[in-house]
Amino acid sequence: MKRLDDDQRATVREHASLASIRIMVRAERRERLRVDARLAWLERLQDHRTDQLLAGTWPAPADDDQANPAPAALCPQNLYGDKAVPLPHHYPAGSDQCVFCTGRTYAFNADSVNHTTKHAHDQGRTLCRLRFRTNPPMTDDWASRLPLCGGCRDALTTGTEATG
């Protein structure tokens, strides 16, 4: 049975028989069970992938020669996603300094109340494409708890090759 649109609710409320309502209730419950099952699967996959990232086993190596590479050191400032998963250091070619943690400070977007993401900044502006105004820099301890803005990550890594 097709799910009920909000536009149809008034009509159903006015004209549906008890038997029709029971059929719709069963259909909605079946759909809720399917959605709950899909959501549970995705949550398990997310936890599994997080564990793999933390263990350094994902993504899988491309060939057998790289089956057991040495795990890369995780950077305390290169955090990714809602769970702030630490990723490896990122060194530009020919450099031994990570673009995320060596001498880098982070700040919030000054025009946003959403303080769940940190931004790399330079002279009061974020490094991401939109160049937001920033608040004063946050402490390294605070910054090490927050994921980095994707645009700032791109700006820091564009033209560099990860060797971490």
Side-chain angles (χ1 to χ4, degrees):
M1 175 177 184
K2 185 178 173 233
R3 298 205 56 200
L4 221 61
D5 293 335
D6 286 339
D7 297 345
Q8 299 168 323
R9 290 178 192 234
T11 304
V12 168
R13 182 176 38 248
E14 188 71 28
H15 302 289
S17 68
L18 180 58
S20 297
I21 294 170
R22 286 181 179 149
I23 291 169
M24 287 185 263
V25 166
R26 282 195 300 271
E28 290 292 328
R29 286 184 178 147
R30 280 193 304 273
E31 179 62 21
R32 183 175 59 198
L33 290 174
R34 284 192 291 271
V35 168
D36 288 347
R38 285 191 305 263
L39 182 60
W41 178 82
L42 284 170
E43 287 171 339
R44 286 191 308 272
L45 178 61
Q46 178 179 322
D47 291 342
H48 177 69
R49 186 70 76 232
T50 299
D51 292 343
Q52 287 178 312
L53 281 168
L54 291 174
T57 59
W58 191 86
D63 57 34
D64 291 338
D65 293 341
Q66 298 177 1
N68 294 313
L74 299 179
C75 177
Q77 298 299 342
N78 186 10
L79 306 178
Y80 182 80
D82 292 340
K83 289 193 172 188
V85 175
L87 297 178
H89 289 280
H90 184 94
Y91 303 97
S95 175
D96 62 348
Q97 300 200 359
C98 173
V99 298
F100 297 111
C101 64
T102 306
R104 174 73 50 205
T105 59
Y106 295 94
F108 290 120
N109 172 353
D111 299 319
S112 175
V113 295
N114 179 4
H115 288 173
T116 59
T117 303
K118 66 185 174 195
H119 291 270
H121 69 104
D122 184 32
Q123 298 178 356
R125 295 281 181 180
T126 64
L127 296 183
C128 52
R129 181 175 53 85
L130 297 176
R131 303 281 298 161
F132 298 114
R133 291 182 316 113
T134 61
N135 288 335
M138 60 181 73
T139 65
D140 286 345
D141 180 53
W142 185 303
S144 69
R145 299 179 206 159
L146 298 169
L148 180 62
C149 157
C152 290
R153 178 186 311 284
D154 292 344
L156 288 170
T157 59
T158 299
T160 64
E161 184 176 316
T163 59

